[in-house]
Amino acid sequence: MTGALVAFLCLFLGLVLQKVDKFPSEKAANWVQAYLIYIVLPALALLYIPKIQPSWGLLIPVSAAWFTFLLSWGIFGYLGKKLNWGKNVTGCLIIVAGLANTSFLGFPVIEGLYGREGLPIALLIDQGGSFLLVSSLSILVGSLYGNHSESLKQVPLKILKFPPFGFLVGTLMMSLFQIPTPEVLIPSLQIIGKTMPSMALLVIGLRFSVDLQSISSKFFWYGLGYRLILAPALVWLIYSQVMDSRSLEFKVTVLESGMAPMITGSIIAIQFGLQPRLASLLSGLGMPISAISLAIWYFLLG
């Protein structure tokens, strides 16, 4: 609870600093963004990924995050090309709408609704799904749709040079071969990892601006509509065929699929120049709006 309070205070601080004359809000946002991308994401990978015990039983709930991201890519990629939205808008919607806020928002919501029994499932979905996606496929989308997009031949090199991806590959190997993170590093990694929500919201605050044009943008509502309504609805419909719809695993999987857009996903989109205002708005304003949709999904799930 204290961490959430600090994080929202950082959001408020960013909003205030943005209005201060002569304060270099854009430069400050870039610095914090670099800290998140190059320090926090690798630290989180090293902290959590080696703990995942690979097994076939984990694939069903974890696959929901991959399914909704790939579906986002398919839907927005097709519509963007057909309707000439432009690569920046299309890439932004694929990444930001495709990734759910399964940790910062998801963990406290799941614990509050289902108790600590739901947290291990939420952790698996976040670490095996959302976190791996934001460190891998989101970078691929950013490379393909961003302002500095290269040819397809250059995309793999750009992904390999992106620090979070290198740490992701290394920590996946550690998980596969059951190599634990050295104990001496864990306290430092935990401290760094705890700064993620507050620093991510600080970036959102420094860049966040709401106006009638932004709120009325069809792209904003397309993104939220997909993330809060269509994605969880399809997960419910499809995954009820292979999971017990009364089980805790199923309920957590559906609710995690309906969380607001992931803050770190918006940071990745901004890093690649994919509609920074739209990305910030989707993840920032998406959180309070998702309170309504999550309450409805919780009621429907029983």
Side-chain angles (χ1 to χ4, degrees):
M1 191 66 182
T2 303
L5 179 61
V6 171
F8 279 106
L9 285 175
C10 285
L11 173 63
F12 179 72
L13 175 63
L15 293 170
V16 171
L17 291 175
Q18 185 187 137
K19 304 300 182 183
V20 175
D21 288 339
K22 297 183 179 180
F23 181 80
S25 57
E26 186 61 30
K27 185 178 291 187
N30 288 336
W31 287 343
V32 179
Q33 183 176 301
Y35 167 73
L36 287 166
I37 299 281
Y38 297 107
I39 297 178
V40 176
L41 282 181
L44 287 172
L46 194 55
L47 183 63
Y48 289 116
I49 300 300
K51 295 179 182 178
I52 296 177
Q53 304 290 326
S55 72
W56 292 110
L58 302 180
L59 292 181
I60 294 178
V62 167
S63 68
W66 291 81
F67 166 68
T68 56
F69 184 86
L70 292 172
L71 184 63
S72 171
W73 195 344
I75 291 174
F76 292 122
Y78 171 77
L79 291 176
K81 187 174 183 179
K82 186 176 180 63
L83 302 176
N84 297 313
W85 287 350
K87 294 181 70 175
N88 280 187
V89 171
T90 304
C92 177
L93 289 174
I94 291 171
I95 294 175
V96 185
L99 292 166
N101 195 334
T102 50
S103 56
F104 173 60
L105 180 63
F107 292 169
V109 168
I110 295 301
E111 184 177 10
L113 295 178
Y114 297 115
R116 290 192 173 272
E117 293 81 5
L119 281 179
I121 307 162
L123 181 64
L124 286 174
I125 294 171
D126 179 67
Q127 297 302 312
S130 304
F131 188 80
L132 294 186
L133 283 163
V134 81
S135 302
S136 56
L137 288 190
S138 71
I139 302 167
L140 174 60
V141 173
S143 298
L144 292 173
Y145 289 87
N147 285 337
H148 308 292
S149 296
E150 290 88 359
S151 68
L152 286 176
K153 292 181 179 179
Q154 294 173 306
V155 168
L157 180 60
K158 186 167 186 177
I159 294 173
L160 290 173
K161 290 169 62 178
F162 199 65
F165 184 79
F167 272 84
L168 171 65
V169 173
T171 52
L172 282 174
M173 296 301 292
M174 291 172 68
S175 172
L176 185 63
F177 293 103
Q178 296 294 286
I179 302 172
T181 302
E183 288 291 331
V184 68
L185 297 178
I186 290 179
S188 299
L189 296 174
Q190 288 175 331
I191 292 172
I192 294 171
K194 286 179 180 178
T195 66
M196 187 274 289
S198 54
M199 292 297 99
L201 281 179
L202 177 60
V203 173
I204 296 297
L206 287 168
R207 288 201 168 102
F208 190 77
S209 62
V210 180
D211 52 57
L212 187 59
Q213 184 178 1
S214 298
I215 297 295
S216 61
S217 167
K218 62 183 179 181
F219 301 119
F220 173 72
W221 294 107
Y222 287 164
L224 277 193
Y226 174 80
R227 186 70 267 163
L228 304 183
I229 300 174
L230 183 58
L234 290 175
V235 168
W236 188 336
L237 179 65
I238 294 170
Y239 281 70
S240 62
Q241 307 303 311
V242 293
M243 299 174 73
D244 180 358
S245 60
R246 296 167 297 179
S247 68
L248 180 62
E249 288 82 2
F250 177 77
K251 293 177 180 180
V252 172
T253 300
V254 173
L255 272 187
E256 283 281 54
S257 300
M259 295 294 165
M262 186 185 198
I263 297 173
T264 314
S266 70
I267 298 298
I268 296 291
I270 293 169
Q271 179 79 2
F272 283 97
L274 300 173
Q275 293 292 314
R277 173 172 286 192
L278 177 61
S280 297
L281 202 61
L282 282 168
S283 57
L285 201 55
M287 283 192 287
I289 293 176
S290 69
I292 301 170
S293 60
L294 287 171
I296 295 172
W297 285 119
Y298 177 68
F299 174 77
L300 292 174
L301 285 164

